[in-house]
Amino acid sequence: MANDNAVQQAAEQIARAREDKTLRPSIAGFFDEATNTVSYVVHDPKTNEAAIIDSVLDYEAASGRTSYGSADLIVEYVTSNNLKVSWLIETHAHADHISAAPYLQEKFGGKLAIGREIVRVQEVFGKLFNAGTDFERDGSQFDKLFEDGETFRLGEIEGIALHVPGHTPADMAFIIGDAAFVGDTIFMPDFGTARADFPGGDARQLFRSIRRLLSLPKETRLFLCHDYKAPGRDEYAWETTVRQQREGNVHVKDGVTEDEFVEMRTARDKTLAMPNLIMPSVQVNIRGGRLPAPEDNGVSYIKIPVNAV
């Protein structure tokens, strides 16, 4: 897997961007401490064409109320820098926050995109939430479903999508210029890797996906979707490199075998509680970040399956 054509193509793209600074994107990270999520605005400095990756809609579970404080920080940044949003990208159907992509798409336009395997996640969770026949399980809630190895552009900067399943079946990494946005596959080296015990998750697949990413050039910049401040570290961080991960990731650095990783990841996942917002988040995010259709009283409802997971 690590030597496949898509990874080779990504490596060549990264090398070109390393040689030519005009092919490197400008990147702004927006950290939402309530969900430990990092959203990104990535743009081509020459054309101001931009992508928004893994945005957050604020959600208060006790009251069921949504708000736009986190997303409006992105609105302000995009507006003040005169950016043109072409893409609203989700690395996967998040289980820990609701996407603000529809809100941002209404503001700026752009195509809402995710990996093609979202259809597998929709099928699994459509059944869990008893979504019925009105809920399409074909990815049609998104404007673009990326295939593994598919290329795209952000202005004059090249991009390529890599399928990196394991955390969920649909996880994607997006390589833009010399930067890789890797979603939930991996965390800072001192914290390790993502869990693999959600429906459709697979620790062995996750290991292979991570090694696929870590076969990219060692100078590749990796931008993470989460940080939880590992013990002994006082500040949040979300940027690292392939080299730093290969040398120091506590779960998956060079020398750790696939079987060792699977044993560790499986044991660790058994100790983890479910994310606080998994029920509302997945239920909404498989719909492209849109709430379930209002019922006859005009109110949208989030279902909580009892004793089902």
Side-chain angles (χ1 to χ4, degrees):
M1 180 183 255
N3 294 318
D4 65 9
N5 291 335
V7 170
Q8 181 60 37
Q9 187 175 355
E12 292 170 358
Q13 171 189 300
I14 291 163
R16 286 191 294 270
R18 297 287 300 175
E19 293 175 3
D20 184 349
K21 291 182 179 180
T22 67
L23 300 179
R24 301 180 196 176
S26 293
I27 300 166
F30 298 82
F31 186 73
D32 177 59
E33 191 165 354
T35 62
N36 295 91
T37 301
V38 194
S39 306
Y40 297 97
V41 178
V42 188
H43 78 273
D44 174 5
K46 291 179 68 175
T47 66
N48 276 4
E49 191 169 340
I52 299 172
I53 301 176
D54 291 337
S55 59
V56 174
L57 178 70
D58 300 322
Y59 177 76
E60 217 250 343
S63 65
R65 298 200 66 85
T66 61
S67 57
Y68 303 100
S70 296
D72 282 340
L73 293 175
I74 292 176
V75 171
E76 181 181 1
Y77 179 84
V78 169
T79 302
S80 63
N81 286 279
N82 297 311
L83 304 182
K84 176 188 175 184
V85 176
S86 297
W87 295 100
L88 301 112
I89 292 174
E90 301 293 333
T91 55
H92 61 295
H94 308 278
D96 40 37
H97 72 270
I98 294 174
S99 170
Y103 174 74
L104 294 167
Q105 188 176 43
E106 186 176 320
K107 296 280 187 184
F108 299 121
K111 291 183 178 180
L112 175 55
I114 200 167
R116 173 156 305 276
E117 293 302 309
I118 186 61
V119 298
R120 292 180 57 192
V121 180
Q122 289 177 328
E123 183 64 31
V124 170
F125 283 96
K127 291 178 180 177
L128 176 64
F129 294 117
N130 197 28
T133 56
D134 289 341
F135 173 58
E136 299 291 345
R137 295 158 169 82
D138 58 1
S140 58
Q141 300 84 353
F142 300 85
D143 302 310
K144 173 66 178 175
L145 301 181
F146 275 107
E147 304 278 1
D148 181 55
E150 189 169 357
T151 60
F152 61 102
R153 298 193 73 84
L154 198 61
E156 298 182 13
I157 296 176
E158 299 171 305
I160 186 168
L162 297 179
H163 186 213
V164 286
H167 174 61
T168 79
D171 280 64
M172 302 291 288
F174 293 88
I175 320 301
I176 302 175
D178 68 331
F181 299 86
V182 299
D184 285 15
T185 53
I186 200 165
F187 300 137
M188 290 299 289
D190 58 359
F191 199 87
T193 57
R195 64 195 298 167
D197 60 334
F198 295 148
D202 186 295
R204 200 166 294 278
Q205 266 195 334
L206 180 61
F207 178 87
R208 295 172 184 176
S209 293
I210 291 170
R211 296 311 305 182
R212 190 182 198 208
L213 290 171
L214 297 187
S215 71
L216 293 170
K218 291 184 178 181
E219 300 79 13
T220 305
R221 296 184 290 165
L222 303 181
F223 291 87
L224 318 178
C225 190
H226 295 288
D227 187 55
Y228 303 95
K229 289 197 297 191
R233 175 157 54 86
D234 295 328
E235 295 183 353
Y236 292 109
W238 47 81
E239 180 180 351
T240 179
T241 66
V242 167
R243 183 188 303 277
Q244 290 168 340
Q245 294 284 3
R246 290 184 61 169
E247 292 179 353
N249 187 285
V250 294
H251 293 168
V252 74
K253 64 186 176 183
D254 287 354
V256 175
T257 69
E258 182 174 316
D259 286 342
E260 288 171 340
F261 175 82
V262 170
E263 183 180 2
M264 177 282 302
R265 188 70 265 171
T266 302
R268 182 175 174 84
D269 287 349
K270 290 178 179 179
T271 71
L272 300 177
M274 296 293 278
N276 291 335
L277 297 182
I278 184 171
M279 294 304 175
S281 293
V282 174
Q283 200 166 158
V284 173
N285 292 335
I286 59 175
R287 293 177 164 87
R290 299 171 187 88
L291 295 173
E295 299 192 6
D296 55 11
N297 62 353
V299 177
S300 293
Y301 289 87
I302 299 290
K303 290 182 177 180
I304 305 295
V306 178
N307 296 328
V309 295

